[in-house]
Amino acid sequence: MTTTVLLNHQQHKEIKIITRKSAELGDAQMAAYTFVSEFRQIQAHYPILFQKDATNGQFFPVALLGLEPHSNLFLSSAGWEASYVPLSIERLPFSIGQQHDQRVIHIDMSSPKVSHIEGEPLFSEFGEFTPYLERVGQSLELLHQGVQENAHFVTHLLEFSLLESLSLDIDLSNGETTQLTGFYTINEDKLNALSDQQLLTLQHEGHLAAIYFVLASHSQLLTLIDRKNRQTQKA
C-alpha cells in the first residue's frame, strides 16, 4: 500500500533515496510508461507498445521490459543492464501533484527506495533542493508534459485506425512457450494506406516520426527474448 505525501523540507530533511535498481526495490515491472518525447531514447533499448487503461479505455505507450508480469529482464545483480532507464522508473518514488495552481512533488514513503541510512539526500542543510532532487523535478515535469503529448498522439492514431491488438506466442530455447497478450501496436498496412493529406497531418504534428520510432523498436523484442533465454539457461 502506497503512502504518498507532499514532499517538504521540515518533514523529509533526513530522507535519502536509494537509486540503484533491483527487484527488491520495486523495479521488477513488466512495462514502464513512456511518452512521445522519450521514444528516441526508448526505441534504442526497449520495444514500444501500447496498453489500454481498463478504467477509462484510454490507450498509452509503454516500454516493454519483460515477457511476464512482474518480470524485468533488464535487472541483474549488477543493476540495470541498459544505458537508458525510462523516466517513469527513474523518478520513483516521486510523483507530481497540484497545489494552489502550482505543481508540487509528492513522495511515496512506503517505497523501499526511501531510507534514513543510505542514498541520495533530498535537501541541503539550508533546505534547498539537492542536485539529485532538482533532476527528479525536471523528470517529473517532462512526464507531466508527456501525458499531454500522448493524449494528442493517441487521438491521431485512433482517428486513422492505426492501433491493433498484439498477441505473440514465443518459443524459448528451453522448449517452453510464453504468450505476450494485452498489448497493442501500430498496423503497418493501415499506415501505408493513409492518404497524402493524412500523412502530412501526422508529420505536421510530429507524430509520423513517433510512429516510426514505435515500429523500429519492435526489433528490440528479439533482445527481450534473448535475455529471457539467457535467464532460463542460468536457472
Side-chain angles (χ1 to χ4, degrees):
M1 181 178 179
T2 60
T3 308
T4 301
V5 298
L6 178 66
L7 182 70
N8 66 82
H9 172 250
Q10 287 74 24
Q11 288 182 290
H12 305 120
K13 61 182 178 180
E14 303 298 331
I15 292 296
K16 296 179 174 64
I17 301 300
I18 303 170
T19 57
R20 67 176 182 272
K21 305 295 185 291
S22 72
E24 293 74 23
L25 291 171
D27 299 310
Q29 301 184 27
M30 181 183 182
Y33 182 88
T34 186
F35 53 96
V36 171
S37 294
E38 193 183 35
F39 282 3
R40 184 183 298 273
Q41 292 88 352
I42 291 293
Q43 59 87 31
H45 303 282
Y46 318 101
I48 301 171
L49 299 175
F50 296 82
Q51 286 185 300
K52 188 176 185 179
D53 190 319
T55 59
N56 57 26
Q58 294 181 350
F59 291 90
F60 56 93
V62 295
L64 192 66
L65 308 176
L67 299 176
E68 301 163 327
H70 312 296
S71 170
N72 183 340
L73 294 170
F74 291 88
L75 289 178
S76 73
S77 58
W80 193 287
E81 293 186 334
S83 60
Y84 183 83
V85 179
L87 282 184
S88 62
I89 297 286
E90 194 67 73
R91 54 88 187 181
L92 294 174
F94 301 98
S95 57
I96 200 165
Q98 196 84 9
Q99 186 179 65
H100 306 306
D101 297 325
Q102 290 187 330
R103 287 193 281 278
V104 293
I105 297 176
H106 288 138
I107 181 171
D108 177 11
M109 292 299 295
S110 66
S111 170
K113 294 179 182 289
V114 175
S115 172
H116 287 85
I117 301 171
E118 63 172 313
E120 293 282 351
L122 303 181
F123 298 97
S124 72
E125 59 179 311
F126 305 109
E128 299 169 330
F129 281 15
T130 60
Y132 165 72
L133 191 54
E134 289 282 2
R135 293 194 300 272
V136 167
Q138 292 167 6
S139 295
L140 291 174
E141 183 63 30
L142 288 173
L143 281 164
H144 176 76
Q145 295 172 7
V147 171
Q148 300 172 60
E149 285 182 340
N150 285 346
H152 192 43
F153 179 51
V154 169
T155 294
H156 274 118
L157 296 182
L158 294 176
E159 179 184 350
F160 299 146
S161 302
L162 292 179
L163 285 180
E164 64 174 353
S165 61
L166 174 71
S167 179
L168 291 177
D169 291 320
I170 300 170
D171 296 323
L172 301 175
S173 59
N174 65 355
E176 295 180 1
T177 299
T178 187
Q179 190 175 52
L180 187 67
T181 60
F183 294 93
Y184 297 79
T185 190
I186 291 171
N187 186 311
E188 289 191 64
D189 290 336
K190 290 185 177 180
L191 175 65
N192 293 332
L194 292 181
S195 68
D196 290 345
Q197 185 57 53
Q198 289 171 321
L199 289 172
L200 282 173
T201 297
L202 292 173
Q203 184 177 21
H204 177 73
E205 297 293 339
H207 293 163
L208 195 56
I211 287 172
Y212 288 132
F213 280 138
V214 171
L215 295 176
S217 77
H218 289 177
S219 63
Q220 301 299 341
L221 282 167
L222 296 176
T223 301
L224 282 182
I225 295 170
D226 179 62
R227 285 180 173 273
K228 179 63 176 178
N229 282 329
R230 284 189 278 124
Q231 183 187 82
T232 55
Q233 288 168 4
K234 292 178 182 178

